[in-house]
């Protein structure tokens, strides 16, 4: 499955590469040659630098792009608090009221919502940290039934947003160009980039992770070598595409655009008289991108034992401690299992990391599906040191299966947001969504059988000094 076969055909041209320095112009000659900020940029455009890291960040980490646009981003009236925000203190998704509990949690598929657009359909389920300190993450479910207004835009000052499409197609217009994101594709919209989400195939549902600190990178490959897992050439970035809707000055214009910003988990809005999607050309390495999960080159054991699931990491956001991630995005795609004399599903586990899992399609090989099970559009959370692993039925099946080469997960893809942080759950996630499976523990592990048989005649080694 080197490329996913999508029901909804591609619409756009892209540039390829992860973290590459790219350049694109919708009008030939719009990019200045040999400098970034000439006295007079081509065609009367404004040069605007978009910095995703500090100016002096190390070169290999430095993220920035130069945009050449019709009007600069600063040309708008002051922002004011939005009249309604899902993050207000009286709302069930208030991030200040996270509940930290050690229980394993699983949710039935979350409801669709025909009345919301992408922004109003974002529901914070769990998270940790503080965006004002640029530390932590937020985990979301989104459900929307209508496109954002043509005269609106949204951006987050809190962090980069990784979107995992599960049901329905997202047609995303960004300042830097268009991205079409379908189930089995992901996209990342970096901090500060304005966008607008359209729904060309009807209602949508999916998952998202907001990264308050740093940016995503490809995991190191070590002895694997120079290829495999997610290959850099398979990531796609938009080409420049712009809209002309403005007046003689920034405060004049035939239409009004509502711009909403998420700032310290609160929403603020302003109205401006010109389109925010007026970037005619850009160059740099700070841009939105998407990736087809079907292109992931899966690695596994060809001898014995199940390796750590870190071998399935697509993207990683590193902490300041080597080898430890603030957030890893991990997938469990279709793959061949051939290990000999081995319990092939993921083993029983307690982890210093938190694990939030979702299911894009199909069934996950370590959990039963169907009503009351792990289903597409649902989720689970196994927090720091909360035990988890195959349910009783899956364990018995895998323990007694004939160990011949087996293709598992055909037509399926599960994923995991894994974090070194202990995450709390919102009131919406615990109560208001009404999707928590109250019998999750008992149904999964209450029936785990005792197979222990003490060897006859064998005296245990003593732990006492003689």
């Amino acid at each position: 499955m080197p490329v996913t076969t999508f029901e909804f055909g591609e619409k756009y041209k892209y540039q390829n590469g992860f973290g590459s320095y790219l350049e694109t112009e919708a009008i030939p000659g719009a990019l200045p040659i040999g400098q970034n900020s000439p006295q007079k940029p081509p065609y009367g455009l404004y040069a605007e630098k978009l910095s995703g890291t500090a100016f002096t960040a190390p070169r290999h980490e430095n993220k920035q792009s130069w945009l050449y646009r019709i009007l600069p981003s600063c040309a708008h009236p002051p922002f004011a608090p939005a009249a309604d925000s899902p993050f207000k203190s009286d709302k069930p998704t208030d991030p200040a009221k996270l509940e930290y509990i050690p229980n394993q949690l699983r949710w039935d598929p979350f409801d669709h919502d025909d009345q919301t657009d992408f922004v109003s359909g974002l529901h914070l389920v769990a998270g940790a940290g503080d965006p004002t300190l640029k530390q932590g993450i937020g985990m979301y479910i989104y459900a929307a039934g209508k496109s954002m207004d043509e005269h609106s835009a949204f951006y987050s000052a809190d962090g980069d947003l990784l979107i995992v499409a599960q049901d329905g197609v997202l047609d995303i217009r960004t300042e830097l160009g268009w991205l079409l994101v379908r189930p089995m594709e992901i996209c990342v919209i970096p901090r500060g980039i304005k966008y607008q989400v359209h729904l060309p195939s009807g209602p949508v549902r999916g998952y998202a992770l907001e990264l308050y600190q740093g940016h995503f990178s490809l995991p190191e490959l070590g002895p694997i070598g120079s290829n495999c897992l997610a290959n850099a050439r398979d990531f796609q970035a938009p080409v420049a595409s712009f809209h002309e809707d403005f007046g003689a000055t920034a405060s004049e214009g035939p239409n009004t655009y509502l711009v909403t910003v998420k700032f310290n988990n609160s929403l603020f809005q302003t109205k401006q008289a010109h389109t925010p999607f007026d970037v005619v050309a850009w160059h740099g390495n700070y841009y939105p991108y998407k990736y087809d999960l079907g292109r992931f080159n899966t690695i596994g054991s060809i001898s014995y034992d199940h390796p750590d699931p870190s071998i399935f990491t697509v993207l990683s956001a590193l902490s300041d401690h080597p080898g430890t991630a603030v957030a890893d995005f991990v997938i469990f795609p279709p793959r061949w299992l051939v290990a000999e004399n081995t319990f092939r599903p993921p083993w029983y586990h307690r982890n210093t990391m938190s694990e939030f899992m979702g299911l894009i399609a199909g069934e996950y090989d370590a959990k039963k599906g169907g009503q009351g099970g792990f289903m597409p559009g649902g989720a689970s959370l196994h927090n720091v040191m909360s035990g988890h692993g195959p349910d009783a039925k899956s364990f018995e099946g895998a323990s007694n299966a004939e160990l011949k080469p087996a293709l598992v997960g055909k037509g399926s893809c599960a994923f995991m947001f894994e974090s070194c942080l202990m995450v709390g759950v919102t009131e919406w996630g615990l109560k208001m969504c009404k999707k928590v499976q109250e019998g999750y523990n008992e149904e999964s592990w209450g029936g785990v059988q005792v197979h222990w048989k003490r060897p006859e005649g064998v005296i245990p080694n003593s732990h006492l000094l003689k």
Side-chain angles (χ1 to χ4, degrees), residues 369-380:
Q371 190 66 34
F374 188 40
M375 300 173 63
S380 68

Side-chain angles (χ1 to χ4, degrees), residues 5-25:
T5 301
F6 295 103
E7 293 182 4
F8 197 100
E10 184 56 78
K11 299 170 63 177
Y12 305 120
K13 298 176 181 178
Y14 298 101
Q15 305 174 91
N16 285 36
F18 184 89
S20 304
Y21 202 100
L22 304 176
E23 64 174 43
T24 172
E25 53 188 11

Side-chain angles (χ1 to χ4, degrees), residues 119-133:
V119 176
S120 58
L122 279 170
H123 298 283
L124 183 68
V125 178
D130 185 344
T132 67
L133 301 176

Side-chain angles (χ1 to χ4, degrees), residues 218-395:
L218 296 178
E220 297 294 340
L221 295 178
I224 292 175
S226 55
N227 298 108
C228 291
L229 308 187
N231 291 306
R233 69 184 293 254
D234 293 322
F235 289 81
Q236 297 179 301
V239 298
S241 174
F242 69 100
H243 181 215
E244 294 176 284
D245 191 0
F246 49 85
T249 68
S251 59
E252 304 172 81
N255 293 298
T256 299
Y257 288 82
L258 179 68
V259 178
T260 303
V261 55
K262 180 174 176 285
F263 197 91
N264 186 23
N265 279 325
S266 296
L267 297 186
F268 294 82
Q269 293 179 326
T270 187
K271 293 181 179 179
Q272 63 186 50
H274 57 96
T275 176
F277 302 107
D278 64 352
V279 177
V280 179
W282 61 267
H283 68 83
N285 63 357
Y286 191 62
Y287 45 76
Y289 55 87
K290 74 168 188 171
Y291 176 72
D292 172 8
L293 299 178
R295 302 188 185 199
F296 187 79
N297 192 346
T298 311
I299 297 294
S301 173
I302 55 172
S303 56
Y304 62 89
D305 281 357
H306 191 302
D308 291 344
S310 49
I311 60 168
F312 301 134
T313 302
V314 180
L315 293 171
S316 187
L318 301 178
S319 71
D320 57 5
H321 188 77
T324 302
V326 175
D328 280 331
F329 175 64
V330 180
I331 65 171
F332 302 91
R335 60 203 182 277
W336 282 92
L337 302 181
V338 298
E340 298 180 314
N341 191 30
T342 293
F343 181 77
R344 289 178 172 177
W347 10 255
Y348 292 103
H349 191 206
R350 288 184 297 161
N351 194 355
T352 188
M353 310 283 276
S354 299
E355 302 180 12
F356 178 93
M357 287 193 66
L359 187 59
I360 299 170
E363 289 192 7
Y364 179 51
D365 59 305
K367 293 286 192 298
K368 73 178 182 72
Q371 190 66 34
F374 188 40
M375 300 173 63
S380 68
L381 173 63
H382 301 138
N383 224 321
V384 172
M385 289 302 173
S386 296
H388 55 279
D391 57 40
K393 181 178 179 181
S394 298
F395 176 83

